[in-house]
Amino acid sequence: MSEDRFNLSAAALRYRELTLFFLLAIAIAGAASYFRLGQREDPDFTFRAMVVRTLWPGATAEQVDRQITDRIEKKLQETPYFKWTRSYSKPGESLIVLELLDTAPQAEVREIWYQVRKKVGDIRQTLPPEALGPFYNDEFGDVYGSIYAFTADGFTLSELRDYVESVRQEVLRLPNVAKAELIGVQEDRIFVEISSKRLAALGVDAQAIGQALAAQNAVVSPGSVETRDNSVALRVTGQLDSVRAIAGLRLRANDKTFRLGDIARVSRGYADPPAAVMRFGGKEALGLAVSMVRNGDVLKLGADLKRTMARMRAELPVGIEFEQVSDQPGVVSLAVGEFMRSLGEAVAIVLAISFLALGAHSGLVVALTIPLVLAATFLGMRLFDIDLHRISTGALIIALGLLVDDAMIAVEMMHRKLEEGFDKLQAASYAYTSTAFPMLSGTLITAAGFLPIATAKSTTGEYTFGIFAVTTMALVISWFAAVIATPFIGSLLLKEHPVAEGEGPRVVFDTRFYRQLRRTIEWCIEHRWIVIAATAATFVVGILGRKRGPRYVPFLGTLFIYILAMNLFGLIPFMDSPTSNLNVTLALALLGNLLPVSGV
């Protein structure tokens, strides 16, 4: 081993105090990061769809389609990353859903929506003058995770709405709240109901009554009074602002003056039919829907809402009650908790296997390395703004079975060299020079297996990016832990077995199984091109035979494993060389792909 070659494991043992400081700092920072990570059910992703709605009261569906929908759709086809539009034309209304390609970059979507508004605005003069809009909605992908239903005894819906609005103002002050909207609000209306017989008897035109109401409530500038020093604006009164005022409106017909309330029934009510109705417990209700800011902490939001709503419950008058009908923070708490329990179970299983396979001391080294890797991963997630959700926690579970490999390889090599008589520094240095770069290449190759997820320019890739990010981060961190933390911890827990002066390295592994395994591996390395060619041929034949399929795969697969096991244990008397055994194994693998299929 070259002494001047840089060796991370040797450096970790030479500078113990510095190594211990960094390990403790990472462990503490990682533990703190875990408790500060945001928690949610799913990661954020961009909704690449917009709704364009235009109203044209009185128009038929054909008129709406020809003069509004068709013109807007043709303009929308100029949108960058245009995928398709789906339109609905009905009497008095045009509704168009515009969707972008999944390849539309997330950072450009907002700019694209601005371009849509600008392009449609350019053709506004070609639409019918009576048309209202177009109106745009690019936020209907927002999720209202917490919804409260308010009911009232002894209060009208209008009075209830005022109280719910006061609660909404309090909720909007919370740091993780993006929007708070009222659901089931019914617009107030004042109804003037007149008998057609009475109108005919009085000779009053219903249209004239409507014009009189509109003229009385018209908002126009009455002018101003100009003086030498000031200009005083005039204000007029008399607008109709109540049922009583409308009922007292004086009308004149056939040289007679009378009150509107004398010939009509004036009453207050709600729009009929209502645009939206919410019921809770069999009663009419109003809903308060709350959505969270992007990259917010849903559990923190849930705790803040719980405190705020408890305070508001005490401040609302008797008769107004509310209940939570949608509780996303509770759902997320259960979901993340389930994933974390799965992660804990996976950690326990890996640790148990480590103790059984490596022994108490070596298993303890791996057992201490795994939490350190997880802590460093949590720290990295915190730095890169990756929250805990079903994607990131799932990636941690996937990575857990992989990140222990490097630590096991390093501690096993170090343990073996200690058994042969090396001191701790020599054993750690040898483990680094012989295994570090093969481990690194294997780690990078494994991480590259998740690269298609990271490079997928689509909504799916955006949603699942955490799998690549967290898995790659955990695997790379595990390599650094294997070459730095594992040798350092191993030097504290593993014992040296020095040899007498003048003796060579102690032979530790000299079993029949080990010798046979080593001969097989050495033959494969010496004849690497034969092994590579046979593997490639098996792969190609397997692809070509997929449609036909291997009929006897279960039998041949079992026979393959049996012959390989007998080869390693040296229990096949008529095959005394690894070459013969390997050739038979490869031949069986090829034969299994070539045999025809029938019903399997």
Side-chain angles (χ1 to χ4, degrees):
M1 179 183 67
S2 176
E3 294 294 334
D4 57 351
R5 184 178 178 182
F6 180 71
N7 191 305
L8 274 176
S9 299
L13 267 63
R14 288 194 180 101
Y15 306 101
R16 291 178 174 272
E17 293 80 4
L18 188 61
T19 303
L20 179 61
F21 170 78
F22 279 111
L23 293 182
L24 290 177
I26 291 174
I28 295 172
S33 298
Y34 169 74
F35 293 104
R36 295 177 62 86
L37 286 174
Q39 298 188 31
R40 61 182 65 214
E41 188 173 5
D42 295 290
D44 287 327
F45 64 96
T46 303
F47 209 83
R48 295 169 170 83
M50 170 186 269
V51 172
V52 182
R53 181 169 177 257
T54 310
L55 303 179
W56 188 10
T60 64
E62 183 181 0
Q63 290 173 324
V64 169
D65 183 68
R66 186 174 62 253
Q67 300 189 43
I68 293 181
T69 304
D70 186 60
R71 295 175 183 176
I72 294 178
E73 274 193 300
K74 288 180 180 178
K75 196 64 178 179
L76 291 178
Q77 291 174 355
E78 303 174 7
T79 304
Y81 300 98
F82 174 84
K83 182 178 181 180
W84 51 253
T85 57
R86 181 176 295 141
S87 61
Y88 305 89
S89 297
K90 60 183 181 180
E93 182 180 358
S94 167
L95 189 70
I96 303 174
V97 180
L98 167 64
E99 184 167 338
L100 305 179
L101 292 171
D102 282 351
T103 54
Q106 175 186 356
E108 297 183 19
V109 171
R110 288 186 177 274
E111 174 63 22
I112 293 174
W113 296 150
Y114 167 74
Q115 293 295 328
V116 169
R117 289 175 167 86
K118 187 170 68 66
K119 289 178 179 294
V120 177
D122 291 341
I123 64 168
R124 178 62 183 86
Q125 72 278 2
T126 66
L127 302 180
E130 302 83 3
L132 305 176
F135 306 103
Y136 307 92
N137 183 5
D138 57 353
E139 298 181 350
F140 64 93
D142 292 345
V143 176
Y144 293 97
S146 299
I147 301 177
Y148 298 86
F150 289 77
T151 58
D153 290 330
F155 296 87
T156 65
L157 286 179
S158 297
E159 294 170 334
L160 177 61
R161 180 181 59 198
D162 294 337
Y163 285 108
V164 177
E165 181 63 35
S166 65
V167 176
R168 174 179 174 272
Q169 295 301 324
E170 292 294 326
V171 168
L172 284 173
R173 294 190 176 97
L174 299 179
N176 283 294
V177 173
K179 294 167 59 177
E181 299 290 340
L182 270 60
I183 302 175
V185 175
Q186 300 183 34
E187 296 184 9
D188 289 329
R189 292 287 189 272
I190 293 180
F191 297 95
V192 179
E193 300 174 276
I194 309 174
S195 170
S196 58
K197 293 182 179 181
R198 173 170 284 188
L199 286 176
L202 294 174
V204 179
D205 185 7
Q207 188 174 2
I209 296 177
Q211 292 174 350
L213 290 171
Q216 186 69 21
N217 237 25
V219 178
V220 295
S221 174
S224 59
V225 176
E226 301 289 341
T227 66
R228 178 178 300 178
D229 299 322
N230 298 302
S231 177
V232 181
L234 296 179
R235 295 287 184 266
V236 296
T237 60
Q239 287 189 333
L240 306 176
D241 56 359
S242 65
V243 172
R244 182 176 180 181
I246 294 176
L249 178 65
R250 295 187 175 276
L251 302 174
R252 184 172 179 80
N254 297 330
D255 297 327
K256 293 182 180 180
T257 301
F258 49 87
R259 295 171 60 253
L260 179 60
D262 295 337
I263 64 171
R265 186 168 69 89
V266 183
S267 61
R268 182 183 293 274
Y270 303 101
D272 188 20
V277 175
M278 182 177 185
R279 291 185 176 275
F280 179 76
K283 301 178 181 179
E284 287 190 343
L286 292 182
L288 177 62
V290 183
S291 67
M292 185 176 64
V293 297
R294 189 177 181 87
N295 297 324
D297 188 343
V298 69
L299 296 186
K300 179 68 166 54
L301 173 61
D304 292 342
L305 282 174
K306 187 176 181 180
R307 289 193 299 270
T308 301
M309 298 306 288
R311 176 169 58 84
M312 296 307 299
R313 187 187 296 273
E315 295 179 2
L316 291 173
V318 176
I320 296 181
E321 300 290 339
F322 64 86
E323 296 292 339
Q324 189 169 7
V325 296
S326 176
D327 184 12
Q328 189 185 38
V331 174
V332 171
S333 179
L334 292 176
V336 174
E338 182 178 354
F339 274 107
M340 296 309 296
R341 283 194 298 272
S342 300
L343 179 62
E345 292 171 0
V347 170
I349 292 172
V350 170
L351 294 181
I353 294 176
S354 300
F355 279 106
L356 292 175
L358 301 177
H361 291 86
S362 298
L364 185 58
V365 174
V366 176
L368 293 175
T369 303
I370 292 176
L372 184 64
V373 173
L374 290 176
T377 304
F378 289 138
L379 178 60
M381 292 172 62
R382 175 70 177 170
L383 294 176
F384 289 100
D385 292 327
I386 302 176
D387 295 332
L388 282 175
H389 42 66
R390 66 176 70 193
I391 298 299
S392 59
T393 51
L396 285 172
I397 295 174
I398 293 173
L400 186 63
L402 304 172
L403 58 86
V404 297
D405 292 347
D406 292 348
M408 284 185 170
I409 293 171
V411 73
E412 188 177 13
M413 180 61 70
M414 187 175 177
H415 175 75
R416 176 182 172 182
K417 291 304 173 183
L418 289 174
E419 290 284 342
E420 291 180 1
F422 285 41
D423 61 31
K424 293 179 179 180
L425 181 60
Q426 290 176 328
S429 301
Y430 183 88
Y432 179 84
T433 56
S434 60
T435 64
F437 289 98
M439 287 191 306
L440 179 60
S441 60
T443 297
L444 296 178
I445 290 172
T446 304
F450 298 91
L451 192 60
I453 297 176
T455 57
K457 302 299 182 182
S458 64
T459 303
T460 303
E462 182 182 347
Y463 177 80
T464 59
F465 179 79
I467 294 179
F468 167 78
V470 176
T471 303
T472 301
M473 190 186 307
L475 292 178
V476 172
I477 290 173
S478 72
W479 182 84
F480 280 101
V483 299
I484 297 176
T486 300
F488 177 79
I489 300 174
S491 68
L492 301 177
L493 299 178
L494 301 180
K495 296 181 179 180
E496 294 181 351
H497 301 275
V499 296
E501 186 176 353
E503 294 184 7
R506 185 184 296 107
V507 178
V508 179
F509 299 99
D510 193 24
T511 62
R512 184 178 182 183
F513 169 77
Y514 176 77
R515 292 193 300 271
Q516 191 74 6
L517 174 63
R518 190 173 184 87
R519 283 197 298 267
T520 302
I521 294 174
E522 288 174 351
W523 184 92
C524 292
I525 294 175
E526 292 173 1
H527 303 82
R528 62 178 65 89
W529 295 112
I530 297 177
V531 176
I532 293 174
T535 303
T538 304
F539 178 71
V540 172
V541 173
I543 293 177
L544 296 177
R546 282 187 64 186
K547 293 184 178 179
R548 299 171 60 193
R551 179 181 180 182
Y552 301 109
V553 161
F555 168 74
L556 291 176
T558 304
L559 185 61
F560 174 88
I561 297 173
Y562 171 77
I563 293 178
L564 181 61
M566 295 300 100
N567 175 29
L568 296 180
F569 283 99
L571 299 179
I572 305 180
F574 57 88
M575 296 182 186
D576 56 355
S577 70
T579 303
S580 301
N581 294 343
L582 188 62
N583 289 339
V584 171
T585 301
L586 294 175
L588 286 174
L590 291 170
L591 184 61
N593 286 282
L594 292 173
L595 286 176
V597 130
S598 177
V600 177

